[in-house]
Amino acid sequence: MRRSERLIRITKDLLDHPNRALSLSDLAERLEAAKSSISEDVALVRGVLERDGSGVVWSIAGAAGGVKYQVRVPPAQREAFQQNIVARLSDPSRILPGGFLYMSDVLGDPDVLDLAGRLFAEAFADRDIQVVVTVETKGIPLAVSAARYLHVPVAVVRRDHRVTEGASVSIHYISGSERRIQTMSISKRAMPQRARALVVDDFMKAGATAKGVVNLLAEFEAQVAGVAVFVATQEPAEKLVPEYVSLFTLGPLQEGAGVILAPALPVQS
Amino acid sequence: MRRSERLIRITKDLLDHPNRALSLSDLAERLEAAKSSISEDVALVRGVLERDGSGVVWSIAGAAGGVKYQVRVPPAQREAFQQNIVARLSDPSRILPGGFLYMSDVLGDPDVLDLAGRLFAEAFADRDIQVVVTVETKGIPLAVSAARYLHVPVAVVRRDHRVTEGASVSIHYISGSERRIQTMSISKRAMPQRARALVVDDFMKAGATAKGVVNLLAEFEAQVAGVAVFVATQEPAEKLVPEYVSLFTLGPLQEGAGVILAPALPVQS
């Protein structure tokens, strides 16, 4: 097989399988080339991705040796994304009763979901995440996108308890906005035991929901390795979860007034 | 820029942007090469993808000229996927009261979601889909994956009506399993008018939910260009929607008995 074809296949293999170890021996066999040639090809792909800031390719030591691609977002792409989202969401007609911001259209946009998933995956790339957990409904698309780039399963916390979920674990928690006791549950079979979990949601105000998820995950002896939201409100500044990453920060909302939304850099702490 | 680098970047550009027109002039400018060289590069990438059966690259005529990548699933990969899913789901412990099959863990698996999304996108590649519509909750991850490969927004039908959805359109329908009147609603701003819609869900029995979605979409003068589900039951054979694509067919379920699941080829009609 010619080098040009090998490069196309290796690029595709890496991009189609983010955060997964690919064996060099397997690649060599499939692409009918010597392992040394494959290593040179991978080095070329790595060079391009890393120069563009759109990914890193790790070498994995061990018996067979392998490589793993992780997504990165080039700074210019991140800035364009932030400007685009701020422009779209800073529209007073999005202000809903009760201090909510209408975001469902934006959170259904495939480019928004893709880039948010990449940003979350990048922010938690070194946390060895084993499962992404979200709460129905609006956080699910974001969670699916992040889970794709982290290559881990996604588990969905339900606000009710449906027969189709089988045996479930439930807890009660006090919702932040409605100040009343609510239930959340998760299917036992969908949530691994003792996993390192990333909690993903669309919106965080006080953090009561995220706190509820943390408590629910404690029943699975999970370790919450991170909390990531699309938008977090500026107030209250102290959330009920100790640390989180948000892509945007939202100022106080009043019907008839403007929307103050600012990009918030995902910061690892 | 060397050809090897151009090939890597073009492959990445196409794979990162399924079902989207990329301008050859833009590529030529960005990759600092003549349009004729870019055309040759694209032909190489197209050749590899099409020989592998993992994608097609369309040439788009017009002022600037462009290319568009659409995903395809190689038959061997589809067969391996079908065998894997049948093996995992054909487990009597998955049978739930009421004739349901437990699938939440499988539908959270990133590889399953990715391949199901590709298969749905392939099955409806020529239908000019403009939006993917699903019903909360379990269909959402499948819908997000299909929408990624079709590069269209996803709109989520809610079973309740939340303040965060803003102005919504609601209808009532008779649920198939519970035989009672239920509500479904969709946010007006998230659902485009007069769009060609693909309805995606995890499970179809009689098709009452899908029928409800079709009726709801009629309020938006949408044209339902397809209905796609992960699993459809064998009985009743006549569904309430005239045509649909399912990846698997499920035989009658009885607690204590076996699960009879068969691959169903997505057939375009």
Side-chain angles (χ1 to χ4, degrees):
Chain A
M1 192 183 297
R2 287 159 55 199
R3 160 153 285 180
S4 58
E5 296 192 17
R6 291 203 311 264
L7 288 173
I8 293 165
R9 289 203 168 85
I10 288 173
T11 304
K12 177 167 166 50
D13 258 22
L14 291 171
L15 295 186
D16 277 350
H17 303 112
N19 217 30
R20 192 179 338 180
L22 303 180
S23 145
L24 282 181
S25 308
D26 285 356
L27 278 174
E29 197 183 313
R30 200 149 49 77
L31 303 182
E32 296 161 4
K35 239 170 106 173
S36 56
S37 308
I38 299 293
S39 291
E40 286 170 32
D41 297 341
V42 167
L44 271 172
V45 176
R46 169 190 285 131
V48 169
L49 295 177
E50 296 190 356
R51 271 198 299 287
D52 292 353
S54 61
V56 290
V57 178
W58 302 97
S59 293
I60 301 166
V67 287
K68 188 171 80 168
Y69 158 70
Q70 289 189 325
V71 287
R72 296 288 184 269
V73 180
Q77 198 184 354
R78 174 195 289 210
E79 274 167 43
F81 170 74
Q82 288 170 333
Q83 284 174 15
N84 172 273
I85 296 295
V86 167
R88 286 167 75 179
L89 291 183
S90 296
D91 169 355
S93 76
R94 291 185 174 275
I95 300 178
L96 297 169
F100 293 101
L101 188 69
Y102 179 79
M103 306 198 294
S104 296
D105 56 341
V106 169
L107 292 180
D109 179 326
D111 297 325
V112 172
L113 292 175
D114 195 68
L115 204 55
R118 287 175 194 255
L119 287 167
F120 287 153
E122 177 174 4
F124 295 94
D126 62 357
R127 297 288 183 98
D128 191 21
I129 303 296
Q130 294 167 316
V131 62
V132 169
V133 180
T134 187
V135 183
E136 64 177 341
T137 298
K138 291 204 307 299
I140 300 175
L142 289 166
V144 168
S145 183
R148 178 182 195 277
Y149 287 111
L150 290 167
H151 194 244
V152 297
V154 58
V156 178
V157 174
R158 307 292 297 251
R159 294 184 185 278
D160 49 12
H161 180 185
R162 312 281 290 208
V163 59
T164 52
E165 295 298 312
S168 296
V169 174
S170 303
I171 62 152
H172 296 284
Y173 72 107
I174 310 271
S175 90
S177 50
E178 293 160 60
R179 291 252 158 255
R180 57 189 178 85
I181 294 183
Q182 295 196 305
T183 305
M184 58 169 68
S185 72
I186 192 163
S187 162
K188 281 186 72 171
R189 199 161 172 164
M191 179 65 206
Q193 287 285 328
R194 284 176 290 281
R196 291 177 61 83
L198 173 64
V199 179
V200 169
D201 211 349
D202 60 319
F203 196 79
M204 183 190 288
K205 218 175 209 174
T209 304
K211 179 79 184 310
V213 174
V214 170
N215 290 344
L216 180 57
L217 294 188
E219 298 296 323
F220 291 83
E221 299 176 50
Q223 189 183 338
V224 175
V227 175
V229 298
F230 193 75
V231 169
T233 56
Q234 196 181 315
E235 301 294 336
E238 285 285 307
K239 309 293 190 197
L240 294 168
V241 288
E243 54 175 286
Y244 65 95
V245 159
S246 80
L247 300 185
F248 299 94
T249 304
L250 179 67
L253 286 180
Q254 278 186 301
E255 272 194 88
V259 176
I260 303 164
L261 189 75
L265 286 181
V267 175
Q268 291 195 45
S269 47
Chain B
M1 191 182 300
R2 288 159 55 198
R3 159 154 286 181
S4 58
E5 295 193 19
R6 292 203 312 264
L7 287 174
I8 293 165
R9 288 202 168 87
I10 288 173
T11 304
K12 177 167 165 51
D13 257 23
L14 290 171
L15 295 187
D16 277 351
H17 303 112
N19 217 29
R20 193 178 337 180
L22 303 180
S23 145
L24 282 182
S25 308
D26 285 356
L27 279 174
E29 197 183 314
R30 199 149 48 78
L31 302 182
E32 297 160 4
K35 237 170 108 174
S36 57
S37 307
I38 298 293
S39 289
E40 286 170 33
D41 298 340
V42 167
L44 271 173
V45 177
R46 170 190 284 132
V48 169
L49 295 177
E50 297 190 357
R51 271 197 301 285
D52 291 353
S54 62
V56 291
V57 178
W58 302 97
S59 294
I60 300 167
V67 287
K68 188 169 80 167
Y69 158 70
Q70 289 189 325
V71 287
R72 295 288 183 271
V73 180
Q77 199 184 352
R78 174 196 289 210
E79 274 168 42
F81 170 74
Q82 288 171 332
Q83 284 174 15
N84 172 271
I85 297 295
V86 168
R88 285 167 76 180
L89 291 184
S90 296
D91 169 356
S93 75
R94 291 185 174 273
I95 300 178
L96 297 169
F100 293 101
L101 188 69
Y102 179 80
M103 306 198 295
S104 296
D105 57 340
V106 169
L107 292 180
D109 179 325
D111 297 325
V112 172
L113 292 175
D114 194 67
L115 204 55
R118 287 174 193 255
L119 287 167
F120 287 153
E122 178 175 3
F124 295 94
D126 62 356
R127 299 286 183 97
D128 191 21
I129 303 296
Q130 294 167 317
V131 61
V132 168
V133 179
T134 188
V135 183
E136 63 177 342
T137 300
K138 292 203 306 301
I140 300 175
L142 289 166
V144 168
S145 183
R148 176 181 197 278
Y149 288 111
L150 290 167
H151 194 244
V152 297
V154 59
V156 178
V157 174
R158 308 291 299 249
R159 293 182 185 279
D160 49 12
H161 180 185
R162 312 282 290 208
V163 59
T164 51
E165 295 297 313
S168 297
V169 174
S170 303
I171 61 152
H172 296 285
Y173 72 107
I174 310 272
S175 89
S177 51
E178 293 161 60
R179 293 249 158 256
R180 56 188 180 85
I181 295 183
Q182 295 196 305
T183 305
M184 57 169 68
S185 71
I186 193 163
S187 162
K188 281 186 73 172
R189 199 161 173 165
M191 179 67 207
Q193 286 285 327
R194 284 178 290 282
R196 290 177 62 84
L198 173 64
V199 179
V200 169
D201 211 349
D202 59 320
F203 195 79
M204 184 191 289
K205 219 175 209 174
T209 304
K211 179 79 186 306
V213 174
V214 170
N215 290 344
L216 180 56
L217 294 188
E219 299 296 323
F220 293 83
E221 299 177 50
Q223 189 183 339
V224 176
V227 176
V229 297
F230 193 75
V231 169
T233 55
Q234 197 181 314
E235 300 294 337
E238 285 285 307
K239 310 294 190 196
L240 293 168
V241 288
E243 55 174 285
Y244 65 96
V245 159
S246 80
L247 300 185
F248 299 94
T249 305
L250 179 67
L253 286 179
Q254 279 187 299
E255 272 194 89
V259 176
I260 302 165
L261 189 76
L265 286 180
V267 175
Q268 291 196 45
S269 48

